[in-house]
Amino acid sequence: EPSAPVTLALRIEAPSWMPLSGAALIGPGGEELGSWSLSGTAPVRLTRQYTLTDPPEWILAICWGEESHPPYLSEPAWAISAPIWMGRP
């Protein structure tokens, strides 16, 4: 189980036609560990260093949009990472 602070590098990329509005790091039990607003249309939407002073066993990175973009998206976009283990599973 991790106990020392961990610094993460979070980078979110998406095509310019994909409207995204937010991103977050989620821990066990759905706890929101950090969140950010996204803006712009460049491929790189967010580059952030984030330190977890008391890291959980694992985290997920998520991002989402609030608008669709026909003809590519009929629903708002969203994405989720695989679990990122902070220690050995």
Side-chain angles (χ1 to χ4, degrees):
E1 181 174 323
S3 57
V6 173
T7 299
L8 307 170
L10 179 61
R11 180 179 172 111
I12 296 176
E13 296 185 23
S16 60
W17 51 262
M18 184 178 290
L20 294 175
S21 56
L25 294 175
I26 306 296
E31 179 185 5
E32 187 176 283
L33 305 172
S35 64
W36 303 272
S37 294
L38 303 179
S39 61
T41 57
V44 177
R45 307 298 180 88
L46 179 73
T47 301
R48 186 73 38 108
Q49 297 284 323
Y50 189 72
T51 301
L52 297 169
T53 55
D54 186 20
E57 292 182 16
W58 56 268
I59 61 171
L60 299 172
I62 63 172
C63 65
W64 62 89
E66 297 174 10
E67 304 172 21
S68 61
H69 189 334
Y72 304 111
L73 298 170
S74 59
E75 300 289 329
W78 61 273
I80 186 169
S81 72
I84 302 162
W85 293 98
M86 301 285 103
R88 294 183 59 89

